[in-house]
Structures are given as structure tokens and as C-alpha cells.
Amino acid sequence: MEPLQLPAGGKPSVDFVKQLQQSMLDASWKGVGALSQVVPAKLVTQILTKVSNILDAEPTLLEVQPSVSQQRVTVVGDTHGQYIDLCRLFDLFGQPSAERIFMFNGDYVDRGAWGVETLLLLAAWKWALPRNVYLLRGNHEGAYCTKHYGFFAEVMAKYGAAGKTIYKNMLRLFSHLPLAALVEAKVLILHGGLFRAPPAKTKGQPRPRCIQDIDEESLELGTLDDLRAAGKGGVDPDPDHSLAQLIASDLVWSDPSPTAGMGHNMLRGVGQVFGPDVTERFLSQNGLRLIIRSHEGPDARHKRATEQKMPSVGSGYSVDHETPSGKLVTLFSAPDYPQFAAEGEERYHNRAAVLHLSAPDYATPAVESFEAVLPRPEAAPYYDTAGGAADSEESTESMGRELEHHSSDTEQASPVAAAGISNSKQQVAAAAHDKPQQEQQQQKAAAAAAAAADGCQSHPLQQAAHSPSAARSSKKSRTEQGAGAR
């Protein structure tokens, strides 16, 4: 397994990206230690640094107008570290090219065993074809979720001593991801759902700094102009930390509802739920015909309360709201999800899907679905699937409190030393189960490095990950509700 390096000239060609894809696919069958042999830490850093700069130059709301030669836009939902299935997706539906745009709708990492490979492949495509590959932000692209759903421990297991720096660079890349994309001024693509507009500044009054400083019921539904003016959310979008992150937080965490109106997302403890009337108002006011969102897999839909039941996404796709102005649909692209389930937990064996938007209409998507690649390479989870970290049980309360030194969207320092980590030693040790002795030693070293890098084993967030009641009590309406980080 020869280590890869960038071609002469220092920029990846399409052929290089294809070679990277195959090399990482081969390595996934050879155990956790194989990735760093074919993709050295130096190459990882080169890719992350360059792509972070590309993303930084992109606006919060991408406005994409395909050229005559780019008449098809393929939209991909959550992939969640299921790299083998991502490779199958490309095999089935084609790869990015100068004639074809791919739009990835967030949640590239966590809960699957190959989040590093997934992120690196998509980043390499972005670098090679920046005007034909677009990466949007999901709720898992931040410090909070990646500490509790395995990605941090995965990075440390695969890159050891270099893992801390690599993780910092990944967080920097996440903070630069655009939040949404507008295709031909009629299709809006975003990860979670609709959002509120921040309160207007009152003359002579200081601007409120966090959500606790205002009456939330006074907030209005946001607009595309509000989204254009918004920041990207910093390290972890959280209005409890900074009101400037309100739109980013709502956008990556919110969910559609069958019930009219817009209100607090009780299931997740962050973001909003919104009904068909709100979708219709947003479509009408902004001249849209279609909203494509992701964020909910089959488990999320199954575990909703009866009064909040929505259509199944077992085929990878559902029409959630159909209104006079258009539709809101959910797209999920991780088949047989989640990869790891607690003992005795039901498996949904869902299919995944992609949407193709084609000229001249673009707002009438063609759906194609596919099944998971089985069997998958041997792997074990990097998070505790049985310890309360299931999506429907985790609380996201106070996720920004650990990051208070990040006071604006522009700060780049990593929260590695400040954020909490859940069970990093156990996660990495579990990933070594039944592996060769050498790999067990590598993962034990990674666990120790993860704990040393974090230095915060008793952070309140660790408790919150296992008990919604452990969340903060500073705002009653938020602390009485559990949250899910699907």
C-alpha cells in the first residue's frame, strides 16, 4: 500500500481523486491502521487546508445557476461515515464532472466507521472541481456532535499523535461550510429546516447577545435575504452561545411537522418544528417551488411521537409538505442506517436515495434509490451505542457553553482542549475488538491521546449525552426537553 501524494503542481486532478477513492476503499478492508499508510497525515492536512480556504470564500447561501453544459444537479443527503455506500453511490449514479454538479447536504461524519474517508473524498472532489461540487453543513459538522457520536475518536484512532491537529483542521473546515444552496432561484437545499430571523436592532438599545436576552415568541420566520446576511455558525451553531448563530442553529437542527405553526423542537431541544402552513408561507414569500432537506433517517421518523408522525424515509425519500406553492421533501442517503445498533435494537434496513434536478425545470426532482453494500468491512463503533448516545436520547442542551471563548463566526482556534468527550477510551478499545495485536496497541495509544488532548472527562456535556435531565436549567422551556442529534 503505497502512500499517495498530490500530483505535480500541487492540485488534485480528477484521476487523483478517483485513485484516492479506490485506495481508501481498499484500506477500509485492511483495518483501522491502514488509512494512514495510504493517506499520510501531511496529505490530509494539505487537503483540509486548501478546501477550508475555498469554502471560506463561498457565501452562507450558495446561489447556483447551472450552465448549459451543467444541466443536471445531483443532490445527496446524509452519508454519516458510510464510505462503502458512498462509493457505491458514485458507481451507480456517476461521479462529479465538468458537466455535472453534485450537491452534498451535510452529515458526512459520525455514527459510521469511515467518517474520515468520507470527508476526505468529498473534500478532494471539492478541491478538484470547486464549481461542480458543493458541500453544505449539517448538524454533525461541529465540535459537539463529533465528540459524542464517534468522529473525534475515529480521527485519533486512525492518525494517532497527528489526530489532534487533523481534528482541529476538520473543525475549521466545518466552520466554513455554507448553510444552504439556491438552485435556479426556485429550489432551496438545506440540512434541517426553516429558520427564524434575528430580532431587528432597536435604536438606542444594545443588541441582544443570546437567545435568553429576547422573547423567542417575538421572532418571525426568516427569509432568503436573512439567510444571505447570516454567518455560518462558527464551531457549533448555538443561539444560547451567540444570537448571531440563530439562523445557522435553526437551519441545521429544525424538522418539519404535520401540525400547523412553528415552535420549539422538543424532541431535539434545539431548532424549530414547522408545519405545512409555514412551508407554504416561506415558499410563497421567497418565490420558491421546492425545499430539499435531510437530517432524519428511518430511526428518527420511527421514534417520533404519534402526533408528530411524518412519512417514512425507508426508501431514502419522502414528501413531507405539499402546498399550493410547492413541496418540502426529505432526502436521506445512508442505506441500512445506522451502521451500528445497540443489542436488541430494531434495524430498519432502509434504502437510500439521491435526487436529480434537471433543466429546464429543476424543481421536479427525479428520485433514484439504492441498497447498502453488504457485508461491510469489519468495524466497531467509535461511540457507545448502548450508553445513551442514541439519537433519540441525547440532549444537545448547552452545547455552546463549552465554547464560550469562540465569540464570533470568524474565530479559528480549536475547542479540542475545551470540549467534552464521551467515552473515548472505550470507543477506541471497542474498535480494536478481535483485531491483530498491533492494531489493538495503536488504538489504545489513540485512546490515551484522545483523553490527553481533551482533558475534560467530567464535563457536563458528558452527562448530558446520557441523560436529558442533566442539561442546564437556565431556561426552563429548553431544559425540560430531550434532544436528538440525528
Side-chain angles (χ1 to χ4, degrees), residues 28-29 54 300 307:
S28 69
W29 291 90
I54 293 172
E307 65 275 10

Side-chain angles (χ1 to χ4, degrees), residues 142-419:
Y144 178 83
C145 283
T146 54
K147 285 299 184 73
H148 291 277
Y149 286 99
F151 185 60
F152 174 69
E154 179 192 342
V155 174
M156 297 302 295
K158 291 178 177 177
Y159 281 95
K164 179 180 176 181
T165 298
I166 288 173
Y167 180 70
K168 286 170 58 178
N169 287 327
M170 288 172 168
L171 290 183
R172 179 175 181 267
L173 183 151
F174 293 160
S175 72
H176 291 317
L177 287 167
L179 297 181
L182 185 63
V183 178
E184 282 292 327
K186 62 180 71 171
V187 180
L188 181 65
I189 304 165
L190 45 70
H191 181 73
L194 299 183
F195 49 88
R196 298 164 291 175
K201 180 174 172 55
T202 304
K203 187 176 181 180
Q205 297 292 326
R207 186 182 294 275
R209 299 186 62 183
C210 60
I211 200 75
Q212 291 95 335
D213 295 338
I214 62 172
D215 176 10
E216 289 192 58
E217 295 183 0
S218 69
L219 295 177
E220 301 289 338
L221 179 66
T223 67
L224 289 181
D225 284 340
D226 293 322
L227 180 53
R228 289 183 180 100
K232 295 179 177 179
V235 174
D236 264 314
D238 180 14
D240 288 348
H241 171 60
S242 170
L243 194 56
Q245 299 173 355
L246 174 69
I247 287 179
S249 177
D250 278 0
L251 188 147
V252 301
W253 283 102
S254 295
D255 295 298
S257 165
T259 306
M262 190 170 191
H264 181 58
N265 194 334
M266 292 185 178
L267 179 63
R268 297 186 188 274
V270 62
Q272 298 287 288
V273 291
F274 57 95
D277 58 322
V278 179
T279 295
E280 166 60 20
R281 181 153 41 104
F282 189 88
L283 289 169
S284 176
Q285 290 178 351
N286 294 281
L288 300 174
R289 292 179 52 199
L290 176 66
I291 299 171
I292 300 172
R293 49 91 61 176
S294 300
H295 194 38
E296 288 185 286
D299 57 339
R301 285 288 166 95
H302 180 76
K303 293 173 183 176
R304 278 189 182 228
T306 301
E307 65 275 10
Q308 290 294 317
K309 284 296 183 186
M310 296 293 288
S312 168
V313 291
S315 66
Y317 171 83
S318 69
V319 177
D320 296 335
H321 293 160
E322 190 162 4
T323 78
S325 296
K327 298 177 181 179
L328 179 141
V329 304
T330 292
L331 173 67
F332 197 76
S333 301
D336 194 34
Y337 173 87
Q339 179 180 347
F340 304 108
E343 185 176 353
E345 185 173 302
E346 179 182 358
R347 290 205 70 88
Y348 300 92
H349 304 293
N350 64 291
R351 294 173 66 87
V354 301
L355 297 182
H356 304 300
L357 311 179
S358 299
D361 178 63
Y362 287 102
T364 305
V367 185
E368 290 196 274
S369 65
F370 63 102
E371 295 182 346
V373 177
L374 296 174
R376 292 167 168 142
E378 182 183 351
Y382 292 98
Y383 66 104
D384 182 6
T385 60
D391 286 348
S392 61
E393 299 174 6
E394 179 176 357
S395 172
T396 59
E397 300 292 351
S398 190
M399 65 183 175
R401 185 172 293 274
E402 65 190 71
L403 304 170
E404 289 183 353
H405 61 291
H406 295 276
S407 60
S408 75
D409 289 347
T410 60
E411 291 181 278
Q412 300 303 325
S414 169
V416 169

Side-chain angles (χ1 to χ4, degrees), residues 1-2 22-38 84 114 117 376-379 435-436 438-439 442-443:
M1 299 177 67
E2 294 293 326
Q22 187 60 50
S23 295
M24 292 194 298
L25 182 60
D26 293 342
S28 69
W29 291 90
K30 298 180 183 297
V32 73
L35 178 63
S36 62
Q37 297 177 36
V38 294
I84 317 304
W114 306 285
E117 290 88 340
R376 292 167 168 142
E378 182 183 351
K435 298 288 185 180
Q438 182 180 3
E439 289 192 3
Q442 290 174 340
Q443 293 193 359

Side-chain angles (χ1 to χ4, degrees), residues 101-119:
I101 293 173
F102 268 77
M103 186 79 64
F104 296 92
N105 201 19
D107 279 12
Y108 314 115
V109 303
D110 283 338
R111 303 199 76 196
W114 306 285
V116 174
E117 290 88 340
T118 299
L119 180 61

